[in-house]
Amino acid sequence: MAGKQFPSLAHARPASASSRRLLAAAGALVLLSAAYFLLLSPSSPRSAATVLASPSSTTSSFLASLESFLAAPHPSDSAAAPGDLDSAIRSQEEARLLGDPAWPAPAAGPLRVYVYEMPSKFTYDLLRRFRDSYRKTENLTSNGSPVHRLIEQHSIDYWLWADLIAPEPQRLLKSIVRVQRQEEADIFYVPFFTTISYFLLEKQECKALYREALKWVTDQPAWQRSEGRDHVIPVHHPWSFKSVRRFVKKAIWLLPDMDSTGNWYKPGQVYLEKDVILPYVPNVDHCDSRCVLETQSKRSILLFFRGRLKRNAGGKIRSKLVEELKSAEDIVIEEGSAGAQGKTAAQDGMRKSLFCLSPAGDTPSSARLFDAIVSGCIPVIISDELELPFEGILDYREIALFVSSSDTLQPGWLVEYLRRMDATRIREMQSNLVKFSRHFLYSSPAQPLGPEDLTWRMIAGKLLNIKLHIRRSQRVVRESRSICTCECRVGNSTRML
């Protein structure tokens, strides 16, 4: 086709060597000039974002990211609530309804989030306190876990907030946009560091700060309008914000799990219709595709577990599993903690194993599940009431095995089940782990399809239901009807089919 359209080019004489060199140099100069112009052009913010997103400038280290975050300026530019917030929101929603034929479907556009600018004692001061005391927080909690590691593995509040308030040219996520006016928002984000305050403040000081944060948030016009239904509160550690939770139970909670025993969350406080499960920050380094390929032939351990062998509540199954599995061949079950040596031992063991045991801890969830995923080790999940992060988006059957507690405790059952696994199926799941690991790696800047991105996608899917309940609460006469709450919901359980 090209020869027919441009016959003169088809029959042109070959250029001399000097001419070819001149043409190549000119072409290279043009490309370099264009690249330089695109990088400096103010109309091309995505160019800068692309540079920031390069592997060399992306970090998943909490401490490294935190240092950069605290050193950078964060100007205040959010507007206060209008005098009649309800009327302003109503006008905005009507304009969007008439102007966007897809609204309010979740795919109609990015989720609009208003980020509260809380006093620094709830935000920056707590982050600085953690950074400044990091080397002094090697002390252990009552269950033997290092304090600083617990804060890191529950640091989802930091990763979400740091991305939300980053300069727009540096942000990569398309699922969410920060708005400066409250009447434009779909969702309101409360950036209070509940986990840091729980672990680093004295008990009474922590409770006093919780009460102050509660008053500050509930005094906001947007909270009073919706009773908090469109507000997002990170309470990712099961003990965080515990003394005042009952006053914010209508808000969207960001949780590690949903415990149905009543040990951590009271009836009526948490349920999947409003809350979002987020993954723990992994304790071990990411084993990428190259790492998985290099370790594949070295995975000589059939099943691996390293951690606390005695736990409370649903975690009591651990001690029973130890008795069942301790004498089996090619299986490693050992006591361990989350300190520096523990991390090295756990990482080394997971990278040498085909399967990694993930039983319930004090709650149905455990950080060990996400350690296994980013290590390329197929999780064997034994937790009958576990809720998983982003399960409306991800199908965990592609990367994990789900086994009921009753089956696991039958003599020899689990070992035989794993030995019968088809080799092709194992390779397929290992390959899927490489692809899935990106969904569990928090980073700065936040990456598309990373956990920050999937968090907002899950919340966007709840938006219609949130608006429904806000409207109902605004027009229903109080106490005029009986409304079902999660006390009458059936708890989740996992069984082998």
Side-chain angles (χ1 to χ4, degrees), residues 135-370:
R135 298 187 183 280
K136 300 176 184 177
T137 54
E138 293 284 351
N139 57 302
L140 304 181
T141 64
S142 59
N143 64 13
S145 299
V147 166
H148 74 279
R149 282 302 305 142
L150 280 173
I151 291 174
E152 287 185 63
Q153 73 182 33
H154 292 284
S155 60
I156 59 99
D157 41 15
Y158 165 75
W159 295 105
L160 290 170
W161 188 52
D163 176 67
L164 281 171
I165 67 173
E168 190 57 35
Q170 297 177 16
R171 297 188 66 254
L172 305 179
L173 302 189
K174 298 290 190 180
S175 57
I176 180 176
V177 61
R178 181 188 178 188
V179 296
Q180 309 302 331
R181 296 166 56 191
Q182 294 191 19
E183 61 268 30
E184 296 177 350
D186 297 315
I187 293 294
F188 296 79
Y189 184 77
V190 180
F192 176 40
F193 289 91
T194 59
T195 298
I196 292 179
S197 51
Y198 175 81
F199 279 111
L200 295 189
L201 303 182
E202 295 295 331
K203 185 175 182 179
Q204 294 308 315
E205 184 185 4
C206 178
K207 286 187 174 182
L209 191 66
Y210 282 174
R211 289 193 296 270
E212 287 186 65
L214 174 69
K215 185 178 188 311
W216 191 94
V217 171
T218 55
D219 280 348
Q220 302 305 309
W223 180 283
Q224 294 174 356
R225 174 183 175 270
S226 68
E227 297 180 300
R229 289 179 175 88
D230 52 2
H231 284 57
V232 176
I233 301 180
V235 285
H236 198 258
H237 191 276
W239 295 334
S240 60
F241 222 41
K242 196 169 185 179
S243 58
V244 297
R245 284 178 185 167
R246 63 187 182 278
F247 301 110
V248 296
K249 64 182 181 181
K250 293 179 182 177
I252 303 163
W253 291 6
L254 304 181
L255 302 164
D257 200 353
M258 279 178 196
D259 172 55
S260 63
T261 65
N263 292 325
W264 310 108
Y265 309 109
K266 301 302 180 185
Q269 289 184 351
V270 296
Y271 43 97
L272 288 175
E273 284 77 4
K274 75 174 183 71
D275 300 318
V276 180
I277 308 298
L278 268 65
Y280 292 70
V281 176
N283 288 317
V284 299
D285 298 331
H286 178 215
C287 186
D288 58 16
S289 56
R290 180 178 178 180
C291 168
V292 170
L293 186 63
E294 290 175 348
T295 59
Q296 202 158 29
S297 61
K298 303 174 184 177
R299 295 182 181 264
S300 57
I301 300 172
L302 177 67
L303 180 66
F304 177 81
F305 174 86
R306 189 177 196 279
R308 295 294 176 186
L309 299 180
K310 292 184 179 180
R311 279 299 195 223
N312 299 316
K316 292 179 180 178
I317 191 175
R318 290 192 185 184
S319 57
K320 298 177 182 178
L321 284 171
V322 171
E323 291 301 313
E324 168 59 27
L325 299 172
K326 64 182 181 181
S327 59
E329 188 179 354
D330 300 333
I331 290 179
V332 175
I333 308 290
E334 57 189 26
E335 180 82 20
S337 64
Q341 292 181 342
K343 171 185 173 178
T344 301
Q347 181 170 293
D348 183 58
M350 287 184 170
R351 293 185 181 188
K352 291 179 179 178
S353 305
L354 287 177
F355 301 98
C356 285
L357 193 64
S358 182
D362 288 343
T363 63
S365 67
S366 168
R368 195 164 290 97
L369 167 61
F370 309 103

Side-chain angles (χ1 to χ4, degrees), residues 68-81:
S68 300
F69 176 81
L70 291 175
H74 298 284
S76 172
D77 52 4
S78 294

Side-chain angles (χ1 to χ4, degrees), residues 123 193 279 374 389:
T123 55
F193 289 91
V374 302

Side-chain angles (χ1 to χ4, degrees), residues 302 328-331 355 414-421:
L302 177 67
E329 188 179 354
D330 300 333
I331 290 179
F355 301 98
L414 181 60
V415 175
E416 183 63 23
Y417 174 69
L418 296 178
R419 293 197 193 285
R420 290 201 314 266
M421 284 289 296

